[in-house]
Every structure is written in structure tokens, then in C-alpha cells.
Amino acid sequence: QSATMQQSLCLRNAVVLDNVKSHKIFVKKNGWLINNFLDLEKIFEELNGLGSKAELDIKSKESYEIAMKLLDYRILAKRIYEI
């Protein structure tokens, strides 16, 4: 995980991340996991074909929900103290 990835999620951005085990929990309906640069071309085509901004708004909302669940320091600290 990078600070850039974490900030992107917290700022409600759709994300494009390498398809590695540590990233999988951060990508659901909010973005894409890629294996190579050819996957980027597919993503750009998909974005180009989006019918409305509403589809990106869904990804945005999902990114924020993931960030609050997995990256919020208050929640992380609470988990640590519960152990």
C-alpha cells in the first residue's frame, strides 16, 4: 500500500492498482486491478463508454466507504486496543 493509494481512496477517487494480494481488499466496485499496461487501455475504453457520471459517482462512494472501513485511524486504533 502506498500513501498515494490511501489518499486516493480517502479523497473518493476511483482507483487503478496493481493486481497484487495486498491491494485486493481495497478494490471492489470502486476501481480496477491491473496486470499490465494493456489493461489500462481497456479501462480507458470503459471510461470512454460510460453512459453517465453516475457510474463514476458509485465508484467514488465505494472508495470512500472502503477508506473509512480500512484506513480510518480511529477505527484502526480501536481494533488494536480490542486485541
Side-chain angles (χ1 to χ4, degrees), residues 13-60:
N13 292 309
V15 293
V16 178
L17 302 173
D18 285 327
N19 188 8
V20 296
K21 186 177 180 178
S22 63
H23 288 161
K24 290 183 182 198
I25 63 170
F26 296 102
V27 180
K28 305 294 181 208
K29 298 175 187 173
N30 62 316
W32 302 266
L33 292 168
I34 63 169
N35 295 307
N36 56 55
F37 286 105
L38 295 175
D39 291 338
L40 285 175
E41 186 176 316
K42 293 175 190 171
I43 292 167
F44 290 138
E45 288 174 5
E46 183 179 335
L47 288 170
N48 213 17
L50 287 179
S52 69
K53 184 179 174 292
E55 293 177 59
L56 279 178
D57 289 341
I58 291 167
K59 291 185 183 306
S60 173

Side-chain angles (χ1 to χ4, degrees), residues 2-19:
S2 68
T4 304
M5 179 212 69
Q6 292 177 17
Q7 185 175 24
S8 293
L9 289 167
C10 292
L11 291 173
R12 302 171 191 234
N13 292 309
V15 293
V16 178
L17 302 173
D18 285 327
N19 188 8

